[in-house]
């Protein structure tokens, strides 16, 4: 059963707010988690409502302020470290994902790491650990997971990441979509017209939503793109 019409997912980019996270192979974890969260949001928004928690904030220190209202699932993005394989040995250290000890099902998480592993990573599986942020979310009644995308200090891992980051974001998205049985959103011009009218950008939303009275199909495309921009701006300021 799909929940696409009502489901809301919160993405959290780990570290930031002055904390770079792990550092390796010329990268900072906080930069990469923000990159992954942005890529996944763009793809997953085709299925459900997706919010990215304010990326200027370190949510480990501010978890009590997380915007969990109406959220059905939280995915916190991280990159692992501890191997110091800066030259590479031809073998990846891999990808893994954590849920809390209170989480019952792990279908979504299994799908995510399986998808990422298919790109060339060792699948380190689904593990249970009450990490601070996901444990806070679960205690608030929201299912949550912490993804260790790959190892930032393994050159083999990072070679795959830098060449396949879009595919990694696809794997994360597809894992969530399959796990929750989501369906792609059907575009509705009327919704975009009502949004722009509510902002005072256009008048007579019913007129524009009919698609009649203007012959240039580019006008409808403009409405769609402008509405997407407005939604993006609203999410950025939350």
């Amino acid at each position: 059963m799909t929940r696409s019409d009502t489901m809301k997912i919160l993405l959290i980019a780990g570290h930031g707010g002055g904390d770079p996270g792990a550092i390796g192979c010329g990268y900072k974890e906080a930069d990469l988690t923000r990159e992954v969260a942005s890529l996944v949001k763009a793809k997953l928004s085709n299925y459900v409502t997706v919010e990215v928690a304010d990326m200027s904030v370190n949510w480990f220190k501010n978890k009590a302020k997380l915007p969990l209202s109406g959220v059905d699932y939280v995915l916190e993005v991280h990159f692992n470290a501890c191997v110091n394989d800066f030259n590479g040995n031809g073998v990846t250290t891999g990808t893994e994902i954590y849920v809390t000890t209170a989480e019952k099902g792990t279908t979504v998480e299994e799908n995510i790491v399986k998808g990422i592993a298919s790109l060339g990573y060792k699948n380190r599986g689904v593990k249970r650990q009450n990490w601070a942020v996901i444990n806070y979310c679960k205690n608030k009644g929201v299912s949550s997971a912490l993804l260790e995308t790959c190892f930032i200090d393994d050159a083999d891992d990072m070679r795959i990441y830098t060449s396949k980051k879009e595919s990694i974001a696809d794997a994360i998205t597809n894992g969530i979509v399959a796990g929750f049985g989501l369906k792609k959103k059907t575009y509705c011009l009327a919704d975009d017209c009502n949004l722009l009218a509510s902002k005072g950008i256009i008048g007579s939303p019913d007129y524009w939503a009919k698609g009649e009275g203007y012959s240039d199909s580019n006008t409808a495309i403009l409405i769609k793109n402008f509405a997407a921009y407005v939604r993006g701006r609203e999410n950025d300021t939350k």
Side-chain angles (χ1 to χ4, degrees):
M1 179 179 179
T2 178
R3 301 174 60 193
S4 301
D5 293 338
T6 59
M7 190 174 190
K8 182 178 180 181
I9 292 176
L10 178 68
L11 302 175
I12 302 173
H15 301 284
D19 174 13
I23 298 174
C25 298
Y27 298 95
K28 294 179 181 178
E29 183 181 5
D31 295 337
L32 298 183
T33 61
R34 278 144 184 76
E35 182 173 57
V36 172
S38 296
L39 290 172
V40 172
K41 180 183 185 299
K43 298 172 185 294
L44 191 56
S45 293
N46 291 315
Y47 298 88
V48 293
T49 299
V50 182
E51 182 175 347
V52 177
D54 188 340
M55 292 197 288
S56 68
V57 175
N58 183 326
W59 290 106
F60 174 78
K61 297 179 179 179
N62 296 276
K63 51 188 173 291
K65 296 181 180 180
L66 276 166
L68 295 178
S69 177
V71 172
D72 298 286
Y73 183 70
V74 172
L75 181 65
E76 183 182 5
V77 180
H78 283 265
F79 279 70
N80 224 329
C82 76
V83 294
N84 298 318
D85 183 13
F86 301 120
N87 295 318
N89 60 3
V91 179
T92 65
T93 307
T95 183
E96 62 190 22
I97 194 165
Y98 288 86
V99 297
T100 68
T101 56
E103 201 66 60
K104 294 182 179 179
T106 60
T107 301
V108 172
E109 293 75 26
E110 289 168 10
N111 287 341
I112 290 173
V113 289
K114 182 179 179 181
I116 296 174
S118 72
L119 300 172
Y121 288 108
K122 176 183 178 181
N123 187 342
R124 297 166 62 90
V126 180
K127 302 179 179 181
R128 292 184 180 273
Q129 181 75 37
N130 292 334
W131 298 118
V133 174
I134 62 171
N135 193 49
Y136 175 83
C137 294
K138 186 61 180 175
N139 286 338
K140 292 294 182 179
V142 183
S143 287
S144 50
L146 185 154
L147 172 65
E148 296 282 12
T149 310
C150 66
F151 279 71
I152 197 172
D153 60 348
D154 184 326
D156 299 297
D157 282 41
M158 290 308 296
R159 270 194 285 270
I160 294 176
Y161 175 76
T162 54
S163 64
K164 297 182 179 181
K165 60 183 71 175
E166 288 283 351
S167 296
I168 289 172
D170 283 331
I172 296 169
T173 299
N174 294 338
I176 294 171
V177 168
F180 285 113
L182 304 176
K183 302 296 182 183
K184 209 162 199 175
K185 291 178 181 177
T186 301
Y187 176 66
C188 180
L189 179 62
D191 288 344
D192 283 352
C193 291
N194 288 330
L195 171 66
L196 296 182
S198 72
K199 304 298 181 182
I201 297 170
I202 63 172
S204 304
D206 291 341
Y207 165 79
W208 292 106
K210 288 179 181 178
E212 302 170 357
Y214 54 86
S215 59
D216 190 350
S217 62
N218 286 335
T219 303
I221 295 173
L222 178 62
I223 290 172
K224 179 179 180 180
N225 290 341
F226 205 164
Y229 170 78
V230 170
R231 289 190 178 93
R233 292 288 295 173
E234 287 179 336
N235 285 336
D236 288 343
T237 56
K238 286 181 179 178

